[in-house]
């Protein structure tokens, strides 16, 4: 009988990535515990978003820089898991993760630049600024909530449908809150809102998926 070589996948890197996220959460808590708590509970309170929309945001503060790294990694892990579970060819491939990480990083940088240009170079109304802050803040909250689900998906219940379903629920909460809290602006500019949603919320995800193949 011919011996069959057993292939053992080295998954240590994804464990190290999860540990890195935990370290980032620890550092963020040390830098500004109250702000991290506000981000985690933004779905239940408008106070944090109202304060952020009224204050000048320092993009390159220690907290914001670390949180940007945090959400880049969390979103990359999610997209990576979906891709790796959808095809045996990419199962836990580190090279795939690096491609996804790069795509997510560039996408989030692009979003920051666009938001900064809109809020800084153009004379916009306060409700428009509130919309921009709310969509970003709710994204941050969504990713914080998603992280425990990713851990379960990696080490426990490895079911793609479960992961997608939880993501869809959290995303729906974010989407609903954005509409409810900005209904006057959205209804008055419905066409532009749909255009924005298609170009900066949905299309980049498909681009990231496409670039990884």
């Amino acid at each position: 009988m011919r011996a069959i070589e057993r292939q053992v996948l080295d998954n240590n890197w994804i464990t190290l990535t999860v540990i890195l996220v935990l370290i980032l959460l620890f550092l963020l808590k040390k830098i500004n515990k109250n702000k991290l708590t506000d981000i985690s509970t933004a779905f239940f309170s408008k106070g944090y978003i109202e304060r952020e929309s009224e204050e000048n945001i320092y993009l390159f503060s220690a907290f914001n820089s670390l949180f940007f790294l945090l959400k880049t990694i969390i979103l990359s892990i999610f997209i990576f898991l979906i891709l790796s579970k959808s095809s045996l060819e990419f199962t836990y491939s580190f090279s795939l993760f690096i491609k996804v990480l790069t795509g997510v990083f560039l996408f989030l940088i692009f979003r920051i630049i666009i938001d900064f240009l809109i809020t800084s170079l153009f004379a916009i109304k306060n409700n428009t600024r509130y919309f921009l802050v709310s969509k970003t803040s709710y994204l941050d909250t969504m990713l914080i909530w998603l992280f425990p689900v990713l851990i379960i998906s990696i080490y426990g219940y490895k079911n793609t449908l479960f992961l997608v379903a939880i993501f869809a629920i959290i995303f729906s909460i974010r989407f609903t809150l954005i509409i409810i809290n900005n209904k006057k602006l959205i209804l008055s500019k419905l066409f532009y809102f749909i255009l924005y949603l298609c170009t900066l919320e949905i299309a980049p995800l498909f681009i990231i998926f496409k670039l990884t193949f």
Side-chain angles (χ1 to χ4, degrees), residues 38 41-53 130 133-134 138 177 180-183:
D38 288 338
T41 58
F43 281 171
F44 306 107
S45 174
K46 294 173 59 177
Y48 167 71
I49 298 175
E50 290 174 350
R51 291 194 301 271
E52 289 290 296
S53 63
Y130 182 88
V133 172
S134 64
Y138 287 143
L177 288 174
I180 291 175
N181 295 329
N182 298 276
K183 54 182 177 294

Side-chain angles (χ1 to χ4, degrees), residues 9-11 13-14 76-77 79-100 208-213:
L9 296 175
D10 182 10
N11 298 333
W13 66 267
I14 197 166
S76 298
I77 293 175
I79 296 175
F80 165 78
L81 288 177
I82 297 299
L83 290 174
S84 62
K85 291 175 184 295
S86 64
S87 174
L88 294 176
E89 180 182 355
F90 296 110
T91 301
Y92 287 98
S93 166
F94 182 67
S95 61
L96 172 64
F97 180 74
I98 292 300
K99 291 179 181 178
V100 173
I208 291 172
F209 287 144
K210 190 67 177 179
L211 290 177
T212 57
F213 290 95

Side-chain angles (χ1 to χ4, degrees), residues 95-136:
S95 61
L96 172 64
F97 180 74
I98 292 300
K99 291 179 181 178
V100 173
L101 186 68
T102 302
V104 171
F105 176 81
L106 295 175
F107 164 57
L108 293 178
I109 286 291
F110 176 74
R111 280 174 59 109
I112 289 176
I113 293 174
I114 293 298
D115 288 351
F116 178 78
L117 290 176
I118 292 175
T119 56
S120 300
L121 301 182
F122 299 95
I124 62 174
K125 297 180 180 179
N126 291 333
N127 57 352
T128 307
R129 179 178 175 84
Y130 182 88
F131 165 74
L132 294 174
V133 172
S134 64
K135 71 178 183 63
T136 300

Side-chain angles (χ1 to χ4, degrees), residues 127 182-192:
N127 57 352
N182 298 276
K183 54 182 177 294
K184 291 183 179 179
L185 175 65
I186 292 173
L187 291 176
S188 64
K189 305 292 183 181
L190 185 59
F191 170 77
Y192 296 102

Side-chain angles (χ1 to χ4, degrees), residues 5-6 25 47 50 53 59 66-67 73 81-82 122-123 139-140 147 157 159 164:
E5 182 180 357
R6 182 184 178 186
L25 285 171
E50 290 174 350
S53 63
L59 295 177
L66 287 177
F67 198 92
I73 296 175
L81 288 177
I82 297 299
F122 299 95
L139 175 64
D140 296 344
F147 180 57
Y157 191 60
N159 185 293
V164 173

